[in-house]
Amino acid sequence: MIILGIESSCDETGVAVYCSDRGLLAHELHSQVDLHAVYGGVVPEIASRDHLRRLLPLIRQALAGAGIQRPDLIAYTAGPGLVGALMVGGGVANGLGLAWDCPVVPVHHMEGHLLAPMLEETSPEFPFLALLVSGGHTMLVAVAGLGDYELLGTTLDDAVGEAFDKTAKLLGLGYPGGPALARLAEGGDDEAVALPRPMVNKPGFDFSFSGLKTAVMLEVRKAEAAGDFEARRADLAASFQRAAVDTLVTRSLQAARNKGLQRIVVAGGVGANRLLRSEMARRFDGDVQYPRMEFCTDNGAMIAVAGALRAAQGSSANEIRAQPRWPLDSLVPPGELETA
Ligand code: KG4
Ligand code: ZN
């Protein structure tokens, strides 16, 4: 079966062609980062308009790259995300489904992230603990099988990617700040500034990152008053990154131990962070798996593979679905009826 995957929930237009036997055949991505950078964050209206402009040419390119005329199935991101951006992807997916007379499957964006490692040859087996870390989410999920998700913890305030982005801004870096902050941190001393590891000693598996960002803000003000902000930027970046990563890894190990899980899958944009990858591998004595770097951030391939897995087990709905809020743990295994 050949699946066309479409991602348009935020500021990346992603399209992929995936074959259930041969794997990924083609993928195309257009990032809107430059369009939004001048505003310091994603502007929803601009995002929708750019998806409109990019989507059809990207679909044409991906189909040509894969050497196919039309897919057997179309999978698109139906939520969570920006409603206008979702409507563009959903409208195009369902329009093409009608024209090609093929089924169309709505996919949950975070389920896409969670299943992205399934694109690799050594795909993770169920059950596993998923750490989903992006600009909008920070979640620990016990994954028993496809659609069988127990939400163990989430953030009480900022998502960890958001904390990276806001801290990067404090340090004078552009948007999105995560990768830029990680680069600046390479030249810094991660023990130079004492920062909190929020929540790690509290019961449960929730996170909180706004206090960490505020702690950096106070340090920035101190450094500015002392006139050595420039000299301390790299140390601040390194200390922040170390504190955020320590927190994510400690919480993940606590959850894995509590649930008796031997495998951790890290996915979402912050999953591209190299320190997070090396620390998780160093501190967890089980198996740790990731999507490849380019499929950590938003992309069409993860939507195609999630659609393929769901469709293989009989779930497809021919309606345009755009659901900005859609809790991951309201999902059910394919074939069962969703409650929320
Ligand atoms: O999954 P994603 O592409 O989009 C969302 O669904 O949010 O994640 C984007 C987030 C941004 O906050 C970005 O700063 C962060 O992932 N990010 C990183 C790195 N690469 C991307 N954060 C830390 N280190 C990185 N290397
Ligand atoms: Zn995402």
Side-chain angles (χ1 to χ4, degrees):
M1 190 167 59
I2 306 271
I3 299 101
L4 174 70
I6 297 176
E7 157 62 33
S8 73
S9 66
C10 189
D11 61 346
E12 326 268 353
T13 319
V15 175
V17 180
Y18 176 79
C19 171
S20 43
D21 298 325
R22 291 184 289 148
L24 194 62
L25 303 182
H27 71 101
E28 300 289 339
L29 187 77
H30 174 78
S31 172
Q32 304 178 355
V33 160
D34 294 345
L35 283 181
H36 301 290
V38 275
Y39 302 98
V42 177
V43 183
E45 180 77 15
I46 293 177
S48 311
R49 285 167 188 252
D50 203 53
H51 288 306
L52 277 180
R53 226 177 350 251
R54 305 287 175 181
L55 205 42
L56 290 176
L58 285 181
I59 291 173
R60 261 194 217 107
Q61 269 176 41
L63 291 176
I68 63 151
Q69 300 284 322
R70 42 157 290 189
D72 303 307
L73 182 114
I74 303 170
Y76 70 98
T77 302
L82 303 170
V83 71
L86 293 169
M87 283 163 66
V88 176
V92 167
N94 283 278
L96 289 175
L98 199 61
W100 287 332
D101 190 24
C102 72
V104 181
V105 182
V107 171
H108 190 291
H109 180 79
M110 297 312 290
E111 183 173 62
H113 275 303
L114 190 151
L115 297 174
M118 304 287 179
L119 286 160
E120 308 307 326
E121 258 174 44
T122 50
S123 58
E125 280 172 26
F126 300 118
F128 54 79
L129 175 77
L131 173 67
L132 299 178
V133 277
S134 73
H137 296 91
T138 310
M139 292 193 264
L140 277 167
V141 187
V143 179
L146 186 64
D148 191 348
Y149 308 135
E150 183 190 354
L151 183 63
L152 303 174
T154 184
T155 180
L156 303 180
D157 40 60
D158 292 350
V160 64
E162 193 181 352
F164 266 90
D165 294 338
K166 287 178 175 171
T167 305
K169 206 169 185 176
L170 288 171
L171 298 176
L173 300 167
Y175 173 85
L181 188 145
R183 270 193 303 277
L184 178 62
E186 281 170 22
D189 171 3
D190 63 10
E191 291 179 357
V193 187
L195 293 172
R197 271 55 172 166
M199 306 283 290
V200 293
N201 297 319
K202 297 231 168 89
F205 307 106
D206 284 335
F207 299 92
S208 162
F209 288 101
S210 73
L212 182 54
K213 173 204 65 198
T214 307
V216 175
M217 189 175 74
L218 296 175
E219 292 295 334
V220 167
R221 287 203 188 133
K222 248 197 271 175
E224 278 171 346
D228 62 355
F229 173 58
E230 274 308 316
R232 289 181 64 77
R233 276 173 79 227
D235 287 351
L236 281 164
S239 301
F240 166 82
Q241 177 175 244
R242 170 64 66 177
V245 165
D246 273 356
T247 306
L248 292 174
V249 175
T250 301
R251 267 325 211 193
S252 302
L253 301 196
Q254 290 168 347
R257 200 174 316 120
N258 181 275
K259 288 281 156 187
L261 292 167
Q262 305 300 320
R263 184 172 299 114
I264 298 180
V265 164
V266 183
V270 184
N273 186 274
R274 289 182 195 280
L275 183 68
L276 175 60
R277 289 178 169 235
S278 61
E279 280 302 286
M280 195 67 97
R282 191 180 66 79
R283 290 175 54 191
F284 184 53
D285 52 13
D287 189 24
V288 190
Q289 279 177 271
Y290 305 88
R292 75 186 84 156
M293 281 289 195
E294 63 187 316
F295 297 148
C296 277
T297 47
D298 292 350
N299 64 85
M302 68 183 195
I303 302 305
V305 80
L309 291 168
R310 285 216 160 252
Q313 296 179 29
S315 86
S316 153
N318 283 307
E319 55 166 341
I320 301 179
R321 188 163 171 183
Q323 203 167 323
R325 289 186 186 281
W326 188 4
L328 181 67
D329 58 353
S330 71
L331 292 185
V332 290
E336 287 180 21
L337 231 45
E338 228 179 282
T339 48

Coordinates of all heavy atoms in Angstrom, one line a residue, residues 223-303:
A223 N 23.8 39.6 35.2 CA 25.0 39.7 34.3 C 25.0 41.1 33.6 O 26.1 41.7 33.5 CB 25.0 38.6 33.3
E224 N 23.8 41.6 33.2 CA 23.8 42.9 32.5 C 24.2 44.0 33.5 O 25.0 44.9 33.1 CB 22.4 43.1 32.0 CG 22.1 42.4 30.7 CD 20.7 42.5 30.2 OE1 19.8 42.8 31.0 OE2 20.4 42.2 29.0
A225 N 23.7 43.9 34.7 CA 24.1 44.9 35.7 C 25.6 44.9 36.0 O 26.2 45.9 36.2 CB 23.3 44.6 37.0
A226 N 26.2 43.7 36.0 CA 27.6 43.6 36.2 C 28.4 43.9 35.0 O 29.7 43.9 35.0 CB 27.9 42.2 36.7
G227 N 27.7 44.0 33.8 CA 28.4 44.4 32.6 C 29.1 43.2 31.9 O 30.0 43.4 31.1
D228 N 28.8 41.9 32.3 CA 29.5 40.8 31.7 C 28.5 39.8 31.0 O 28.8 38.6 30.9 CB 30.4 40.1 32.7 CG 29.6 39.5 33.9 OD1 28.4 39.7 34.0 OD2 30.3 38.8 34.7
F229 N 27.4 40.4 30.5 CA 26.4 39.5 29.9 C 27.0 38.8 28.7 O 26.8 37.6 28.5 CB 25.2 40.4 29.4 CG 24.2 39.6 28.6 CD1 23.6 38.5 29.1 CD2 23.8 40.0 27.3 CE1 22.6 37.7 28.3 CE2 22.9 39.3 26.5 CZ 22.3 38.2 27.0
E230 N 27.7 39.5 27.8 CA 28.3 38.9 26.6 C 29.2 37.8 27.0 O 29.1 36.7 26.4 CB 29.1 40.0 25.8 CG 28.2 40.8 24.8 CD 27.4 39.9 23.9 OE1 27.9 38.9 23.3 OE2 26.2 40.3 23.7
A231 N 30.0 38.0 28.0 CA 31.0 36.9 28.4 C 30.3 35.7 29.0 O 30.8 34.6 29.0 CB 31.9 37.5 29.4
R232 N 29.1 35.9 29.5 CA 28.4 34.8 30.2 C 27.3 34.1 29.4 O 26.7 33.1 29.9 CB 27.8 35.3 31.6 CG 28.9 35.7 32.6 CD 28.3 36.2 33.9 NE 27.5 35.2 34.6 CZ 28.0 34.2 35.3 NH1 29.3 33.9 35.4 NH2 27.2 33.4 36.0
R233 N 27.0 34.6 28.2 CA 25.9 34.0 27.4 C 26.1 32.5 27.2 O 25.1 31.8 27.4 CB 25.8 34.7 26.1 CG 25.1 36.0 26.1 CD 25.2 36.7 24.8 NE 24.3 36.2 23.8 CZ 24.7 35.8 22.5 NH1 25.9 36.0 22.1 NH2 23.8 35.4 21.6
A234 N 27.3 32.1 26.8 CA 27.4 30.7 26.5 C 27.3 29.8 27.8 O 26.7 28.8 27.8 CB 28.8 30.5 25.9
D235 N 27.8 30.4 28.9 CA 27.6 29.6 30.2 C 26.2 29.5 30.6 O 25.7 28.5 31.1 CB 28.4 30.3 31.3 CG 29.9 30.2 31.2 OD1 30.3 29.4 30.4 OD2 30.6 30.9 32.0
L236 N 25.4 30.6 30.4 CA 24.0 30.6 30.7 C 23.2 29.6 29.8 O 22.4 28.8 30.3 CB 23.4 32.0 30.5 CG 23.7 33.0 31.7 CD1 23.4 34.4 31.2 CD2 22.8 32.6 32.9
A237 N 23.6 29.6 28.5 CA 22.9 28.6 27.6 C 23.3 27.2 28.0 O 22.4 26.3 28.1 CB 23.4 28.9 26.2
A238 N 24.5 26.9 28.3 CA 24.9 25.6 28.7 C 24.3 25.1 30.0 O 23.8 24.0 30.1 CB 26.5 25.5 28.8
S239 N 24.2 26.1 31.0 CA 23.6 25.7 32.3 C 22.1 25.5 32.1 O 21.5 24.6 32.7 CB 23.9 26.8 33.3 OG 25.2 27.0 33.4
F240 N 21.4 26.3 31.3 CA 20.0 26.1 31.0 C 19.8 24.7 30.4 O 18.9 23.9 30.8 CB 19.4 27.2 30.1 CG 18.0 26.8 29.6 CD1 16.9 27.0 30.4 CD2 17.9 26.2 28.3 CE1 15.6 26.6 29.9 CE2 16.7 25.8 27.9 CZ 15.5 26.0 28.7
Q241 N 20.5 24.5 29.3 CA 20.4 23.2 28.6 C 20.6 22.0 29.5 O 19.8 21.0 29.5 CB 21.3 23.1 27.4 CG 21.2 21.8 26.6 CD 22.1 21.8 25.4 OE1 21.6 21.7 24.3 NE2 23.4 21.9 25.6
R242 N 21.6 22.1 30.3 CA 21.9 21.0 31.3 C 20.7 20.8 32.2 O 20.3 19.7 32.5 CB 23.2 21.3 32.0 CG 23.6 20.4 33.2 CD 23.8 19.0 32.8 NE 25.0 18.8 31.9 CZ 25.4 17.6 31.5 NH1 24.8 16.5 31.9 NH2 26.5 17.5 30.7
A243 N 20.2 21.9 32.8 CA 19.1 21.8 33.7 C 17.9 21.2 33.1 O 17.2 20.3 33.7 CB 18.8 23.1 34.3
A244 N 17.5 21.6 31.9 CA 16.3 21.1 31.2 C 16.5 19.7 30.8 O 15.6 18.9 31.1 CB 16.1 21.9 29.9
V245 N 17.7 19.3 30.4 CA 17.9 17.9 30.0 C 17.9 17.0 31.2 O 17.3 15.9 31.2 CB 19.3 17.8 29.2 CG1 19.7 16.3 29.1 CG2 19.1 18.3 27.8
D246 N 18.6 17.4 32.3 CA 18.6 16.7 33.5 C 17.2 16.4 34.0 O 16.8 15.3 34.4 CB 19.3 17.4 34.7 CG 20.8 17.2 34.7 OD1 21.3 16.4 33.9 OD2 21.4 17.9 35.5
T247 N 16.3 17.4 33.9 CA 14.9 17.3 34.4 C 14.2 16.2 33.5 O 13.5 15.4 34.0 CB 14.2 18.6 34.3 OG1 15.0 19.6 35.0 CG2 12.8 18.6 34.8
L248 N 14.3 16.3 32.2 CA 13.7 15.4 31.3 C 14.1 14.0 31.5 O 13.3 13.1 31.6 CB 13.9 15.8 29.8 CG 13.3 17.1 29.3 CD1 13.8 17.4 27.9 CD2 11.8 17.1 29.3
V249 N 15.4 13.8 31.7 CA 16.0 12.4 31.8 C 15.5 11.9 33.2 O 15.1 10.7 33.3 CB 17.5 12.4 31.6 CG1 18.1 11.0 31.9 CG2 17.9 12.9 30.2
T250 N 15.7 12.6 34.2 CA 15.3 12.1 35.6 C 13.9 11.7 35.6 O 13.5 10.6 36.1 CB 15.6 13.3 36.6 OG1 17.0 13.6 36.6 CG2 15.2 12.8 38.0
R251 N 13.0 12.6 35.1 CA 11.5 12.2 35.1 C 11.3 11.0 34.2 O 10.4 10.1 34.6 CB 10.7 13.4 34.5 CG 10.2 14.5 35.4 CD 9.7 14.0 36.7 NE 8.6 14.7 37.3 CZ 8.2 14.6 38.6 NH1 8.9 13.7 39.4 NH2 7.2 15.3 39.1
S252 N 11.9 10.9 33.1 CA 11.7 9.7 32.2 C 12.1 8.4 32.9 O 11.4 7.4 32.9 CB 12.5 9.8 30.9 OG 12.1 11.0 30.3
L253 N 13.3 8.5 33.6 CA 13.8 7.3 34.3 C 12.8 6.9 35.5 O 12.5 5.7 35.7 CB 15.2 7.5 34.9 CG 16.3 7.8 33.9 CD1 17.7 7.6 34.6 CD2 16.2 7.0 32.7
Q254 N 12.3 7.9 36.2 CA 11.3 7.6 37.2 C 10.1 6.9 36.7 O 9.6 6.0 37.2 CB 10.9 8.9 37.9 CG 12.0 9.6 38.8 CD 11.6 11.0 39.2 OE1 10.6 11.6 38.7 NE2 12.3 11.6 40.2
A255 N 9.6 7.4 35.5 CA 8.4 6.9 34.9 C 8.6 5.5 34.4 O 7.8 4.6 34.6 CB 7.9 7.8 33.8
A256 N 9.8 5.3 33.8 CA 10.1 3.9 33.2 C 10.2 2.9 34.3 O 9.7 1.8 34.2 CB 11.4 4.0 32.4
R257 N 10.8 3.3 35.4 CA 11.0 2.4 36.6 C 9.6 2.1 37.1 O 9.2 0.9 37.4 CB 11.9 3.1 37.6 CG 12.4 2.1 38.6 CD 13.4 2.7 39.6 NE 14.4 3.6 39.0 CZ 14.5 4.9 39.3 NH1 13.7 5.4 40.2 NH2 15.4 5.7 38.7
N258 N 8.8 3.1 37.3 CA 7.4 2.9 37.9 C 6.6 2.0 37.1 O 5.8 1.2 37.6 CB 6.8 4.3 38.1 CG 5.4 4.2 38.7 OD1 4.4 4.0 38.0 ND2 5.3 4.4 40.0
K259 N 6.7 2.1 35.8 CA 5.8 1.3 34.9 C 6.5 0.0 34.5 O 6.0 -0.8 33.7 CB 5.5 2.1 33.6 CG 4.5 3.2 33.9 CD 3.1 2.6 34.0 CE 2.2 3.5 34.8 NZ 0.9 2.8 35.0
G260 N 7.8 -0.2 34.9 CA 8.5 -1.4 34.5 C 8.8 -1.5 33.0 O 8.8 -2.6 32.5
L261 N 9.0 -0.4 32.4 CA 9.3 -0.3 31.0 C 10.8 -0.3 30.7 O 11.5 0.4 31.3 CB 8.6 0.9 30.3 CG 7.0 0.8 30.4 CD1 6.4 2.1 30.0 CD2 6.5 -0.3 29.4
Q262 N 11.2 -1.1 29.7 CA 12.6 -1.3 29.4 C 13.0 -0.5 28.2 O 14.2 -0.6 27.8 CB 12.9 -2.8 29.1 CG 12.5 -3.8 30.2 CD 13.3 -3.4 31.5 OE1 14.4 -3.1 31.5 NE2 12.5 -3.5 32.6
R263 N 12.1 0.2 27.6 CA 12.4 0.9 26.3 C 11.8 2.3 26.4 O 10.7 2.5 26.8 CB 11.8 0.1 25.2 CG 12.1 0.7 23.8 CD 11.6 -0.2 22.7 NE 12.2 -1.5 22.8 CZ 11.6 -2.7 23.0 NH1 10.3 -2.7 23.2 NH2 12.3 -3.8 23.1
I264 N 12.6 3.3 26.0 CA 12.2 4.7 25.9 C 12.3 5.2 24.5 O 13.3 5.0 23.8 CB 13.0 5.6 26.9 CG1 12.8 5.2 28.3 CG2 12.5 7.1 26.7 CD1 13.6 6.0 29.3
V265 N 11.2 5.8 24.0 CA 11.3 6.4 22.7 C 11.2 7.9 22.9 O 10.3 8.4 23.6 CB 10.1 6.0 21.8 CG1 9.9 6.9 20.6 CG2 10.3 4.5 21.3
V266 N 12.1 8.7 22.4 CA 12.1 10.1 22.5 C 11.8 10.7 21.2 O 12.4 10.4 20.2 CB 13.5 10.7 23.0 CG1 13.5 12.2 23.2 CG2 14.0 10.0 24.2
A267 N 10.7 11.6 21.1 CA 10.3 12.1 19.8 C 9.9 13.6 20.0 O 9.7 14.0 21.1 CB 9.2 11.3 19.2
G268 N 9.7 14.3 18.9 CA 9.4 15.7 18.9 C 10.6 16.5 18.7 O 11.8 16.0 18.9
G269 N 10.4 17.8 18.4 CA 11.6 18.7 18.0 C 12.7 18.7 19.0 O 13.9 18.6 18.6
V270 N 12.5 18.7 20.3 CA 13.6 18.7 21.3 C 14.3 17.4 21.3 O 15.5 17.3 21.8 CB 13.0 19.1 22.7 CG1 14.1 19.3 23.7 CG2 12.3 20.4 22.6
G271 N 13.7 16.3 20.7 CA 14.4 15.1 20.6 C 15.6 15.2 19.7 O 16.5 14.3 19.7
A272 N 15.8 16.3 19.0 CA 17.0 16.5 18.1 C 18.1 17.0 19.0 O 19.3 17.1 18.5 CB 16.7 17.5 17.0
N273 N 17.9 17.3 20.2 CA 18.9 17.9 21.1 C 20.0 16.8 21.4 O 19.7 15.7 22.0 CB 18.3 18.4 22.4 CG 19.3 19.1 23.2 OD1 20.0 18.5 24.0 ND2 19.5 20.4 23.1
R274 N 21.2 17.1 21.1 CA 22.3 16.1 21.3 C 22.6 15.7 22.7 O 22.9 14.6 23.1 CB 23.6 16.5 20.6 CG 23.4 16.5 19.1 CD 24.7 16.9 18.4 NE 24.4 17.2 17.0 CZ 24.3 16.3 16.0 NH1 24.4 15.0 16.3 NH2 24.0 16.6 14.8
L275 N 22.5 16.7 23.6 CA 22.8 16.4 25.0 C 21.7 15.5 25.6 O 22.0 14.6 26.3 CB 22.9 17.7 25.8 CG 23.2 17.5 27.3 CD1 24.7 17.0 27.5 CD2 23.0 18.8 28.1
L276 N 20.4 15.8 25.2 CA 19.3 14.9 25.7 C 19.6 13.5 25.2 O 19.4 12.5 26.0 CB 18.0 15.4 25.1 CG 16.8 14.6 25.4 CD1 16.6 14.4 26.9 CD2 15.5 15.2 24.8
R277 N 20.0 13.3 23.9 CA 20.3 12.0 23.4 C 21.4 11.3 24.2 O 21.2 10.1 24.6 CB 20.6 12.1 21.9 CG 19.4 12.4 21.1 CD 19.8 12.6 19.6 NE 18.5 12.7 18.9 CZ 18.2 11.9 17.8 NH1 19.0 10.9 17.4 NH2 17.0 12.0 17.2
S278 N 22.5 12.0 24.4 CA 23.6 11.3 25.0 C 23.3 11.0 26.5 O 23.7 10.0 27.0 CB 24.9 12.1 24.8 OG 24.8 13.4 25.5
E279 N 22.6 12.0 27.2 CA 22.4 11.7 28.6 C 21.3 10.6 28.8 O 21.5 9.8 29.8 CB 21.8 13.0 29.2 CG 22.9 14.0 29.6 CD 24.0 13.4 30.5 OE1 23.7 13.3 31.7 OE2 25.1 13.1 30.1
M280 N 20.3 10.5 27.9 CA 19.3 9.5 28.1 C 20.0 8.1 27.9 O 19.8 7.2 28.7 CB 18.2 9.7 27.1 CG 17.0 8.9 27.3 SD 16.1 9.4 28.8 CE 14.9 10.5 28.1
A281 N 20.9 8.0 26.9 CA 21.6 6.8 26.6 C 22.5 6.4 27.8 O 22.7 5.3 28.2 CB 22.4 6.9 25.4
R282 N 23.2 7.4 28.4 CA 24.1 7.2 29.5 C 23.4 6.8 30.8 O 23.9 5.9 31.4 CB 24.9 8.5 29.7 CG 26.1 8.3 30.7 CD 26.9 9.6 30.8 NE 26.1 10.7 31.6 CZ 26.0 10.7 32.9 NH1 26.5 9.8 33.6 NH2 25.3 11.7 33.5
R283 N 22.3 7.4 31.1 CA 21.7 7.1 32.4 C 20.6 6.0 32.4 O 20.3 5.5 33.5 CB 21.0 8.4 32.9 CG 22.1 9.5 33.3 CD 21.5 10.8 33.7 NE 20.5 10.7 34.8 CZ 19.7 11.7 35.2 NH1 19.8 12.8 34.6 NH2 18.8 11.5 36.1
F284 N 20.0 5.7 31.2 CA 19.0 4.6 31.2 C 19.6 3.3 30.8 O 20.4 3.2 29.8 CB 17.9 5.0 30.2 CG 16.8 4.1 30.1 CD1 16.1 3.7 31.3 CD2 16.3 3.5 28.9 CE1 15.0 2.8 31.3 CE2 15.3 2.6 28.9 CZ 14.6 2.3 30.1
D285 N 19.4 2.2 31.6 CA 20.1 1.0 31.3 C 19.2 0.1 30.3 O 19.6 -1.0 30.0 CB 20.4 0.2 32.6 CG 19.3 0.1 33.5 OD1 18.1 0.3 33.0 OD2 19.4 -0.3 34.7
G286 N 18.1 0.6 29.9 CA 17.3 -0.1 28.8 C 17.7 0.4 27.5 O 18.7 1.0 27.2
D287 N 16.7 0.3 26.6 CA 16.9 0.6 25.2 C 16.3 2.0 24.9 O 15.2 2.3 25.4 CB 16.1 -0.5 24.4 CG 16.3 -0.5 23.0 OD1 17.3 0.0 22.6 OD2 15.4 -0.9 22.3
V288 N 17.0 2.9 24.2 CA 16.5 4.2 23.9 C 16.4 4.3 22.4 O 17.4 4.1 21.7 CB 17.4 5.3 24.4 CG1 16.6 6.7 24.3 CG2 17.7 5.1 25.9
Q289 N 15.3 4.7 21.8 CA 15.2 4.9 20.4 C 14.6 6.3 20.0 O 13.8 6.8 20.7 CB 14.3 3.8 19.8 CG 15.1 2.5 19.6 CD 14.3 1.3 19.1 OE1 13.7 0.6 19.9 NE2 14.2 1.2 17.8
Y290 N 15.1 6.7 18.9 CA 14.7 8.0 18.3 C 14.3 7.9 16.9 O 14.9 7.0 16.2 CB 15.9 9.0 18.4 CG 16.5 9.2 19.7 CD1 17.5 8.3 20.1 CD2 16.1 10.2 20.6 CE1 18.1 8.5 21.4 CE2 16.7 10.3 21.8 CZ 17.7 9.5 22.2 OH 18.3 9.6 23.4
P291 N 13.5 8.9 16.4 CA 13.5 9.0 14.9 C 14.8 9.5 14.5 O 15.5 10.1 15.3 CB 12.4 10.0 14.7 CG 11.8 10.3 16.1 CD 12.8 9.9 17.1
R292 N 15.1 9.4 13.2 CA 16.4 10.1 12.7 C 16.1 11.6 12.9 O 15.0 12.1 12.9 CB 16.7 9.7 11.3 CG 15.8 10.3 10.3 CD 16.1 9.8 8.9 NE 15.4 8.5 8.7 CZ 15.1 8.0 7.5 NH1 15.5 8.6 6.4 NH2 14.4 6.9 7.3
M293 N 17.2 12.3 13.0 CA 17.2 13.8 13.3 C 16.1 14.5 12.5 O 15.3 15.3 13.1 CB 18.5 14.4 13.0 CG 19.6 14.2 14.1 SD 19.2 15.1 15.6 CE 20.7 14.9 16.5
E294 N 16.1 14.4 11.2 CA 15.2 15.2 10.4 C 13.7 14.8 10.6 O 12.8 15.6 10.3 CB 15.5 15.0 8.9 CG 15.3 13.6 8.4 CD 15.8 13.4 7.0 OE1 15.5 14.3 6.1 OE2 16.5 12.4 6.7
F295 N 13.4 13.7 11.2 CA 12.1 13.3 11.5 C 11.7 13.5 13.0 O 10.6 13.1 13.5 CB 11.7 11.9 11.1 CG 11.9 11.7 9.6 CD1 12.3 10.5 9.1 CD2 11.6 12.7 8.7 CE1 12.4 10.3 7.7 CE2 11.7 12.5 7.4 CZ 12.1 11.3 6.9
C296 N 12.6 14.2 13.7 CA 12.2 14.7 15.1 C 11.3 15.9 15.0 O 10.3 15.9 15.7 CB 13.5 15.0 15.9 SG 14.3 13.6 16.6
T297 N 11.7 16.8 14.2 CA 10.8 18.0 14.0 C 9.7 17.6 13.0 O 9.7 16.6 12.5 CB 11.6 19.2 13.5 OG1 12.4 18.8 12.4 CG2 12.5 19.8 14.6
D298 N 8.7 18.5 12.9 CA 7.5 18.2 12.1 C 7.9 17.8 10.7 O 8.7 18.4 10.0 CB 6.6 19.4 12.1 CG 6.0 19.7 13.5 OD1 6.2 18.9 14.4 OD2 5.4 20.8 13.6
N299 N 7.1 16.8 10.2 CA 7.4 16.3 8.8 C 6.2 15.5 8.4 O 5.4 15.0 9.2 CB 8.7 15.4 8.9 CG 8.5 14.2 9.7 OD1 8.0 13.2 9.3 ND2 8.9 14.3 11.0
G300 N 6.2 15.2 7.1 CA 5.1 14.4 6.5 C 5.2 12.9 6.7 O 4.3 12.2 6.7
A301 N 6.5 12.5 6.8 CA 6.8 11.0 6.9 C 6.1 10.4 8.1 O 5.6 9.3 8.0 CB 8.3 10.8 6.8
M302 N 6.2 11.1 9.2 CA 5.6 10.5 10.5 C 4.1 10.4 10.3 O 3.5 9.5 10.9 CB 6.0 11.4 11.7 CG 5.4 12.7 11.7 SD 6.1 13.7 13.2 CE 4.9 15.0 13.2
I303 N 3.5 11.3 9.6 CA 2.1 11.3 9.4 C 1.7 10.1 8.5 O 0.7 9.4 8.7 CB 1.5 12.6 8.8 CG1 1.9 13.8 9.8 CG2 0.0 12.6 8.6 CD1 1.5 13.6 11.2

